[in-house]
Amino acid sequence: MYTSVWKACVFTSLPVFIFQWECSWFFLLCCSFLLLFVWSYFWLEILALWHIVLGQQLNLYWIHKIVVLAILLTTTTGVVFIDDFWQDEWDIVIISLQFTGPFLHIGALAVVTALGWVIAGQVVRVERSRLQVVTLVIYVSLLLVLYLVPLFISSPCIMDRSKLGPRPAVIGRRGAPMLAPEHTIMSFSKALQQKVTALEADVTISLDGVPFLMRDRTLRRTTNVDKLFPARQDHDASFFNWTEIRSLNAGLWFLRDDPYWTVQYMSEKDRNRTANQTVCSLAELLRLAARMNRSVIFSLRRPPRQHPHHQLWVSDALKVIQRSSILPEQVMWTPDWYRKKVRAAVPLLQQTSDEKLPVAELKERGISTLTLHYSQARAQDISRQFSGSNVSVNVYPVNEPWLYSLMWCSGVQSVSSDAPHILKKVPNPVWIMSADEYGLIWITSDLISVAIVIGIFIFQNYHLIRWKMSGMRSYNPEQIMLSAVVRRPSRDVNLMKEKLIFSGETHEHTTVWR
């Protein structure tokens, strides 16, 4: 089947889009087969370990040993690669545990409680061995840890509902980049349709001193610079003058790459509009925000040293703000460079910082808002330090309802999001419960677990006693063979063997007599 699909992808004369579609599905099919193979082998390894626990000898063929070593090497390499690639994002694991901790505890408790049946089957046996004692000690210790682990679970959403603060405001980060090309007028318009309270952008200075919106160092990802200026596509975006930048198309890449898989849901009108987007200037963004009575927060990137406006970049941005119709108090100034000069030139600007500083230093610099990455937004710092000092906290990027709920419970005032259309549909935190409610759930689940585990061990022990009291009448060859896996021979096993031999001799004598 795979061969025929591959030949169809290579040799057929289908249209280009069908060719690419079928070949992509063939690639996904191969990947799925490989993942299923690895996953199946993973379970085979677990069964092999269980085989050893039961006292059986594990004999591996040379091909098995090679595959085990190959999987070990591949897994180790993959973990190292992921750690290097995702190094700055490991904090999301800890944050997600804060949100899911209470539910993970209940799930883990249910799984370990269910394992009690297997553990009891191994421990409650005629024979006693060190392995049984060790297994029982480990199991009981694990249960005790799970019974007490809620003492160390700390989640911002475990709180009284009366103490829940107002819903955090949503800021359109680069507009609404899931619905339209980032940093374009269309993207900011889409964000305003989602009722955002402010617009956030990244600003760069052009060669002739015009502040424009661009996230990347180059123009290659979000424009068609490779078509109009192929020899300069890797140049810094600030080394293009505004006329050249304005001639670029800033929307076709969105239709082509479909970065968030949302193009298929766009109307024909929106697709045509997307295909004609241009790079947006800071002045255009400020005019749009002033017309809609929204605030603007932006990060200003300093041009390289050889740039003619390397020393004038702050002045260039301030001139655009002063000439625009937006109120100064609606502009949140983030760059820390020349902050005193900026405050002196436009005193009403809201001073913000993306650096987590002590409250005293923030007040000294006149900073009223902190813009922090979600990994730095700890609930205890927000509630103890910043909230009581009239310093508001804005967290970025927050695109998922669960993270938005966690930030809400933590007490942040606003979040910057690439998905304001998703957060718009979150009127309340996904979950919130008081400490008393969680304590009741915790104690109840622990008591149920204790009752089930004790019941399992009593049930297994009761059947063992009945089996012993039944004597030799219930023995049969199958039971004898199953009992032979015990490492040390017991008196009961010897008696069963003797009865089996005796019954065999009696059968032979009966046959001869007949």
Side-chain angles (χ1 to χ4, degrees):
M1 181 183 68
Y2 296 153
T3 305
S4 61
V5 174
W6 176 250
K7 289 180 178 178
C9 289
V10 175
F11 297 107
T12 55
S13 56
L14 295 173
V16 175
F17 69 94
I18 298 180
F19 172 82
Q20 294 177 345
W21 180 257
E22 293 299 328
C23 289
S24 63
W25 273 109
F26 175 73
F27 175 73
L28 292 176
L29 184 64
C30 294
C31 292
S32 301
F33 174 77
L34 180 61
L35 290 174
L36 286 174
F37 175 77
V38 173
W39 186 246
S40 300
Y41 200 85
F42 169 76
W43 281 108
L44 287 175
E45 288 182 335
I46 293 180
L47 292 176
L49 292 176
W50 193 250
H51 196 72
I52 295 174
V53 170
L54 292 176
Q56 301 296 310
Q57 186 175 0
L58 183 63
N59 295 315
L60 293 177
Y61 292 103
W62 62 269
I63 187 64
H64 293 159
K65 297 177 181 179
I66 292 176
V67 173
V68 168
L69 292 176
I71 290 179
L72 179 62
L73 180 61
T74 304
T75 306
T76 305
T77 304
V79 169
V80 172
F81 175 77
I82 292 174
D83 179 69
D84 182 64
F85 181 76
W86 208 43
Q87 188 173 6
D88 298 332
E89 299 295 333
W90 281 116
D91 291 325
I92 195 64
V93 176
I94 300 175
I95 295 174
S96 64
L97 287 177
Q98 289 182 344
F99 186 77
T100 59
F103 307 100
L104 289 177
H105 163 250
I106 296 174
L109 188 60
V111 171
V112 175
T113 301
L115 283 176
W117 184 268
V118 179
I119 300 299
Q122 293 296 313
V123 173
V124 182
R125 288 184 355 193
V126 178
E127 287 298 321
R128 290 292 181 266
S129 65
R130 292 181 181 178
L131 178 61
Q132 290 173 291
V133 176
V134 171
T135 302
L136 181 61
V137 170
I138 292 176
Y139 180 71
V140 172
S141 301
L142 184 58
L143 276 177
L144 290 176
V145 169
L146 287 176
Y147 291 157
L148 299 176
V149 76
L151 293 173
F152 307 97
I153 292 179
S154 176
S155 175
C157 291
I158 300 178
M159 61 182 300
D160 293 331
R161 289 177 175 82
S162 59
K163 296 182 180 179
L164 182 66
R167 186 176 186 270
V170 179
I171 298 174
R173 190 167 179 252
R174 303 189 299 275
M178 292 187 180
L179 304 177
E182 64 183 58
H183 282 147
T184 61
I185 288 296
M186 180 181 179
S187 182
F188 293 117
S189 299
K190 290 287 185 182
L192 291 171
Q193 292 175 9
Q194 307 304 320
K195 308 300 182 183
V196 298
T197 59
L199 301 172
E200 182 180 349
D202 302 286
V203 179
T204 301
I205 307 297
S206 70
L207 192 65
D208 48 354
V210 177
F212 67 98
L213 311 186
M214 184 58 55
R215 177 189 179 190
D216 299 347
R217 186 187 66 84
T218 69
L219 300 167
R220 186 171 52 188
R221 182 177 66 89
T222 57
T223 70
N224 61 340
V225 66
D226 58 329
K227 300 291 191 302
L228 299 185
F229 308 100
R232 302 168 58 192
Q233 58 180 315
D234 293 323
H235 290 190
D236 194 294
S238 60
F239 285 106
F240 290 79
N241 62 50
W242 178 238
T243 303
E244 294 171 333
I245 295 170
R246 195 62 169 180
S247 67
L248 299 172
N249 186 293
L252 287 175
W253 73 274
F254 187 83
L255 297 175
R256 181 189 68 241
D257 298 343
D258 195 8
Y260 299 102
W261 303 289
T262 54
V263 172
Q264 58 181 324
Y265 303 109
M266 297 176 67
S267 64
E268 191 64 29
K269 181 180 178 181
D270 280 346
R271 293 190 186 191
N272 293 332
R273 186 183 175 191
T274 299
N276 292 290
Q277 291 299 301
T278 56
V279 178
C280 182
S281 66
L282 177 60
E284 291 175 302
L285 173 62
L286 295 176
R287 282 198 297 269
L288 177 63
R291 188 168 67 250
M292 303 302 295
N293 193 28
R294 294 292 189 271
S295 299
V296 172
I297 179 173
F298 61 89
S299 299
L300 187 60
R301 184 170 71 89
R302 188 172 191 175
R305 265 181 204 283
Q306 57 271 33
H307 195 279
H309 288 262
H310 178 70
Q311 300 294 338
L312 303 172
W313 59 303
V314 171
S315 300
D316 292 335
L318 284 177
K319 287 178 184 178
V320 173
I321 294 172
Q322 291 172 320
R323 292 171 183 172
S324 67
S325 57
I326 195 170
L327 298 175
E329 54 267 28
Q330 290 182 311
V331 178
M332 291 179 271
W333 182 271
T334 303
D336 202 39
W337 295 80
Y338 308 110
R339 193 178 289 274
K340 291 183 178 179
K341 176 183 175 181
V342 173
R343 290 175 61 188
V346 188
L348 295 180
L349 288 180
Q350 290 190 53
Q351 299 295 325
T352 68
S353 176
D354 54 7
E355 186 180 358
K356 197 172 183 180
L357 301 170
V359 175
E361 189 172 352
L362 292 175
K363 290 185 176 181
E364 182 182 350
R365 298 186 183 186
I367 296 171
S368 58
T369 303
L370 271 180
T371 300
L372 302 176
H373 190 265
Y374 61 77
S375 61
Q376 296 180 300
R378 305 187 184 280
Q380 57 269 25
D381 295 338
I382 295 171
S383 59
R384 295 175 186 174
Q385 290 182 308
F386 304 123
S387 297
S389 306
N390 295 324
V391 176
S392 61
V393 178
N394 175 55
V395 180
Y396 72 94
V398 178
N399 301 325
E400 300 294 336
W402 72 266
L403 185 56
Y404 181 67
S405 301
L406 193 67
M407 294 298 107
W408 188 346
C409 295
S410 299
V412 304
Q413 285 71 36
S414 62
V415 299
S416 294
S417 176
D418 299 329
H421 62 293
I422 295 178
L423 301 189
K424 180 184 177 181
K425 301 175 183 177
V426 186
N428 300 293
V430 173
W431 69 269
I432 183 173
M433 67 177 75
S434 66
D436 293 337
E437 291 172 337
Y438 180 56
L440 179 62
I441 295 174
W442 162 32
I443 294 174
T444 302
S445 59
D446 284 0
L447 291 177
I448 293 174
S449 173
V450 170
I452 292 175
V453 171
I454 293 176
I456 288 173
F457 275 81
I458 292 175
F459 181 79
Q460 294 270 24
N461 194 53
Y462 169 74
H463 275 269
L464 178 64
I465 294 173
R466 283 191 60 188
W467 178 70
K468 291 177 66 176
M469 291 179 65
S470 63
M472 295 294 108
R473 291 174 298 174
S474 61
Y475 285 147
N476 55 55
E478 287 79 9
Q479 287 177 318
I480 296 174
M481 294 304 296
L482 289 174
S483 301
V485 299
V486 182
R487 293 180 181 273
R488 295 183 301 172
S490 66
R491 181 174 176 275
D492 292 333
V493 173
N494 292 331
L495 288 174
M496 285 188 292
K497 291 180 179 179
E498 291 174 3
K499 183 171 182 179
L500 180 62
I501 295 171
F502 176 76
S503 62
E505 291 177 352
T506 304
H507 178 70
E508 291 176 359
H509 287 306
T510 304
T511 304
V512 172
W513 180 81
R514 286 181 180 177

